Amino acid sequence: MEQAFFEIKQQIDAKLAQKEYVIVAIDGPCTSGKTTLASQLETLYDCNVFHMDDFFLRPEQRTQERFAEVGGNVDYERFRSEVLVPVQLGKPFSYRPFLCGSQTLGEPIAVSPRNLTIVEGTYSLHPYFEDPYDLKILLTVTEETQRQRILNRPQFLHDRFFKEWIPMENRYFEALPHDPDVLIL
């Protein structure tokens, strides 16, 4: 992963030399290292990082029709309006993260523009967003490595990963249009 990180850093640096605001997406299946990579980049660049996990559907949005949509288990409309559009405008804004424990939106988080913005999480390359990214990264993980990493997480989540979340992710990745500009690692 060290060589991949170096390649990503080179691409980000080149983009930052070309324009004032750069937006990077890090997508991939659960346990592929998205959050870890985003955290490393945040430390290196002092950038804004947004997590797609903060945009899960609220209970009232969870309908059979919505879950039938590929990638429909995230509130992509709210993410676009609350985060992507303001980031592209380079203006201060706030957003409210979804809190899984209470199934509600949290208090607003104020955001000041930074030269680099990272959007991290499965569904960050959702076609609904069109193409707001300057760099698109898709991390991969083998089924066996994914399984072992999930088994190292709290046991009460295992069934949800294997029976609910991974099948939804798989549908999303199978339907994701091929994009030759995506850096696959």
Side-chain angles (χ1 to χ4, degrees):
M1 188 67 167
E2 190 174 312
Q3 179 60 34
F5 185 81
F6 179 74
E7 182 179 349
I8 291 165
K9 182 186 177 314
Q10 282 187 310
Q11 289 199 34
I12 290 173
D13 290 344
K15 303 280 185 196
L16 287 169
Q18 295 171 352
K19 58 189 291 196
E20 185 175 7
Y21 296 109
V22 172
I23 308 173
V24 175
I26 304 172
D27 204 328
C30 60
T31 77
S32 60
K34 301 175 301 294
T35 305
T36 300
L37 176 57
S39 178
Q40 292 169 336
L41 293 171
E42 183 179 26
T43 299
L44 182 64
Y45 289 99
D46 189 31
C47 59
N48 286 322
V49 175
F50 299 98
H51 306 279
M52 291 305 296
D53 287 357
D54 288 340
F55 293 87
F56 284 131
L57 296 176
R58 296 181 309 277
E60 65 272 16
Q61 296 173 294
R62 297 175 185 196
T63 64
Q64 285 183 336
E65 293 80 20
R66 184 61 182 239
F67 283 125
E69 293 178 28
V70 173
N73 55 311
V74 294
D75 193 343
Y76 49 79
E77 300 95 343
R78 188 169 70 84
F79 182 75
R80 183 182 196 176
S81 66
E82 287 188 15
V83 176
L84 280 180
V85 170
V87 164
Q88 289 173 304
L89 295 173
K91 307 258 185 215
F93 65 95
S94 66
Y95 73 98
R96 296 178 66 194
F98 178 74
L99 305 174
C100 290
S102 64
Q103 298 288 295
T104 60
L105 296 180
E107 293 298 315
I109 296 175
V111 179
S112 296
R114 302 269 175 97
N115 296 89
L116 178 62
T117 296
I118 307 288
V119 176
E120 172 275 322
T122 306
Y123 310 107
S124 60
L125 293 175
H126 195 291
Y128 180 82
F129 303 138
E130 296 171 350
D131 195 9
Y133 303 113
D134 300 290
L135 178 60
K136 297 170 274 194
I137 301 166
L138 181 63
L139 298 183
T140 60
V141 64
T142 66
E143 284 184 40
E144 182 55 34
T145 299
Q146 182 182 55
R147 180 173 180 71
Q148 288 305 312
R149 289 176 179 172
I150 289 169
L151 293 176
N152 288 330
R153 293 185 178 190
Q155 186 174 2
F156 74 94
L157 292 174
H158 293 174
D159 275 352
R160 294 208 66 198
F161 272 108
F162 294 123
K163 295 178 180 173
E164 185 179 345
W165 297 330
I166 291 174
M168 283 190 283
E169 288 181 359
N170 289 343
R171 281 183 50 226
Y172 164 72
F173 290 115
E174 287 167 8
L176 199 60
H178 173 71
D179 183 342
D181 294 329
V182 174
L183 178 60
I184 300 173
L185 303 171

